[in-house]
Amino acid sequence: MISDTDKQRITQAIREAERKTSGEIFCVIARKTSDYRVIPFALASGLSLLVPLPFILWSSWPASAIYCAQLAVFILLSVVLRLPAIRFRIVPRQRKHDRAHAEAMNQFFAHGLDKTSQRTGVLIFAAQAERYAEIVADAGINEKVAPEVWDGAIATLTAAIGAGRPGDGFIAAIETCGAVLAEHFPPGALQRDELPDKLVEI
């Protein structure tokens, strides 16, 4: 999803941002947060239930032929709707965003962003298939910075990913987060790096 060159640029951007703040920035990008296989199956099942009605009303087909037609439609729809290009379009947007948000929270805790000494961990998370991005901040930051402050960074990140420039999007988001953190959380006397300065792909 992201080239080695962009990963190095992101690492450098994190280090530069953290040099001016006691906050900790960590980045994760996911190709997708779920396969969403239940929704294509459910939709194929629902549509195939409608198949018998026109044959019953306007044809003299025997029940066995109608059943075969219904089964064929179900199989065809199941195959077509599972194609990735179609599957991610038929899943409701809110469902995708809810699943991506859950994964963002999972990554926040899995990488220990809630365990920094001053509770100043920040996760920049993006899910490519869901076209979703989120910035998750720990309690120490949320006490001083409203979630709406991150909206500009999130918009920049999602736009860059949509344009095929995820590296540029993460760097811009890191710079925005770094500026906010530097304002509210200047570097302490015992500044130390508690989290890896990198982007993780999942």
Side-chain angles (χ1 to χ4, degrees):
M1 288 181 284
I2 294 185
S3 68
D4 289 339
T5 299
D6 277 345
K7 287 179 182 177
Q8 293 173 4
R9 292 172 59 214
I10 289 169
T11 294
Q12 186 58 41
I14 294 173
R15 289 174 179 167
E16 180 62 25
E18 290 183 350
R19 190 175 60 82
K20 305 171 185 176
T21 176
S22 59
E24 294 281 343
I25 300 172
F26 194 83
C27 299
V28 174
I29 185 170
R31 188 176 301 278
K32 58 186 177 181
T33 60
S34 175
D35 287 327
Y36 304 103
R37 297 196 181 277
V38 173
I39 290 178
F41 178 82
L43 186 57
S45 299
L47 292 174
S48 64
L49 289 175
L50 302 176
V51 171
L53 183 60
F55 291 103
I56 293 172
L57 295 177
W58 299 301
S59 78
S60 57
W61 284 24
S64 59
I66 295 175
Y67 171 75
C68 288
Q70 184 180 28
L71 184 60
V73 169
F74 171 73
I75 294 172
L76 177 63
L77 288 175
S78 294
V79 172
V80 172
L81 295 178
R82 287 184 182 182
L83 296 174
I86 297 176
R87 189 193 324 154
F88 285 94
R89 291 181 180 274
I90 63 174
V91 176
R93 182 180 179 183
Q94 189 59 50
R95 176 73 177 272
K96 290 188 288 187
H97 285 189
D98 288 347
R99 183 65 190 84
H101 170 70
E103 183 59 33
M105 298 306 299
N106 178 57
Q107 292 296 317
F108 182 85
F109 293 110
H111 292 286
L113 276 85
D114 60 322
K115 293 181 171 62
T116 60
S117 59
Q118 299 182 55
R119 303 299 299 272
T120 54
V122 175
L123 172 69
I124 302 175
F125 176 85
Q128 191 173 40
E130 286 83 358
R131 298 184 179 183
Y132 177 89
E134 181 176 0
I135 294 175
V136 183
D138 204 359
I141 295 173
N142 285 334
E143 290 175 358
K144 296 184 178 181
V145 181
E148 294 77 17
V149 172
W150 311 118
D151 288 350
I154 293 170
T156 300
L157 177 55
T158 53
I161 291 175
R165 298 180 291 102
D168 293 339
F170 269 99
I171 290 170
I174 291 165
E175 290 173 349
T176 299
C177 290
V180 173
L181 292 173
E183 178 183 353
H184 295 281
F185 303 93
L190 299 176
Q191 178 80 337
R192 59 193 178 94
D193 203 359
E194 299 181 73
L195 296 172
D197 300 329
K198 65 178 183 178
L199 176 140
V200 172
E201 289 183 271
I202 60 173

